Amino acid sequence: LLNSFTSARAQGDTDQLYEIGEKYLGTYGTSEQAAGVATTMGQTAAARFEYDRAIDYFERAAGLDPEQAPALMLTVGTLKEQLGDLDGAVQTYRTAPTSDGGRRREAAVRMADIQLARRQYQAVVDTLQPFNGSGDPEVLSRLGEAMLKMGQAFDAETYFLAVTQSPGAASPGSIS
């Protein structure tokens, strides 16, 4: 089945890829290759703009591979954002596996962006406070913006100053 799956992928036969992949997952769902099969199916679905299907496969892959789960769940959250399911994205970011500290921080920053857009400034602070000491300009800029919007200008200035002192590590969005 794995060879047939690889062949279908190489030929670009997505119907066959999905069919064989589902058979593989049903038969060998606990094998070392199962997460890779589900991830490949998710990538294929995303490339074809079949986002609901992609989300399903990435979530399945995350359940099969705890090591890759944080990155896969970030992808799921991003897809949900693109579909306009902001509540679903926030829930995904909130419950994403946290074995990878960098991925956990990235999920928190993405969740904070949604909260900022929704004007939930205290939620931004609550979300990012655990990462305040990291020195990450992405975290600091969003904390600064939330503080400014809450009328705490002195605290906001402190965060923004920390961001400007490390512009090489900051994304354009964090210093705008």
Side-chain angles (χ1 to χ4, degrees):
L1 282 176
L2 197 54
N3 288 337
S4 297
F5 179 80
T6 303
S7 177
R9 180 179 180 207
Q11 294 173 9
D13 187 345
T14 54
D15 291 335
Q16 196 70 0
L17 175 100
Y18 293 145
E19 183 180 328
I20 295 169
E22 286 293 343
K23 283 182 186 175
Y24 185 88
L25 292 174
T27 306
Y28 304 106
T30 58
S31 75
E32 291 181 17
Q33 302 299 322
V37 168
T39 299
T40 298
M41 292 165 62
Q43 292 167 337
T44 301
R48 294 173 47 98
F49 306 106
E50 299 171 342
Y51 294 127
D52 290 333
R53 180 179 263 182
I55 288 169
D56 178 57
Y57 287 131
F58 287 135
E59 287 177 334
R60 288 168 69 182
L64 295 168
D65 187 351
E67 189 174 309
Q68 294 299 316
L72 290 165
M73 293 310 291
L74 280 175
T75 301
V76 168
T78 300
L79 289 171
K80 287 181 179 183
E81 279 188 72
Q82 291 173 351
L83 290 173
D85 180 9
L86 299 182
D87 291 333
V90 166
Q91 184 61 24
T92 298
Y93 294 143
R94 182 174 286 127
T95 60
T98 59
S99 61
D100 180 335
R103 301 278 189 205
R104 185 175 66 226
R105 187 171 53 249
E106 186 178 346
V109 167
R110 290 183 183 185
M111 187 166 47
D113 285 340
I114 294 170
Q115 293 164 333
L116 282 169
R118 291 178 162 180
R119 298 182 174 146
Q120 298 170 334
Y121 306 121
Q122 186 58 52
V124 172
V125 174
D126 295 342
T127 297
L128 295 179
Q129 200 58 44
F131 307 101
N132 185 13
S134 68
D136 183 339
E138 304 297 328
V139 170
L140 297 172
S141 67
R142 285 151 181 91
L143 282 169
E145 184 176 348
M147 292 294 182
L148 186 63
K149 299 289 185 170
M150 292 187 322
Q152 298 176 16
F154 181 77
D155 291 330
E157 181 181 7
T158 302
Y159 287 120
F160 289 141
L161 182 61
V163 172
T164 60
Q165 291 175 344
S166 59
S171 73
S174 70
I175 57 176
S176 59

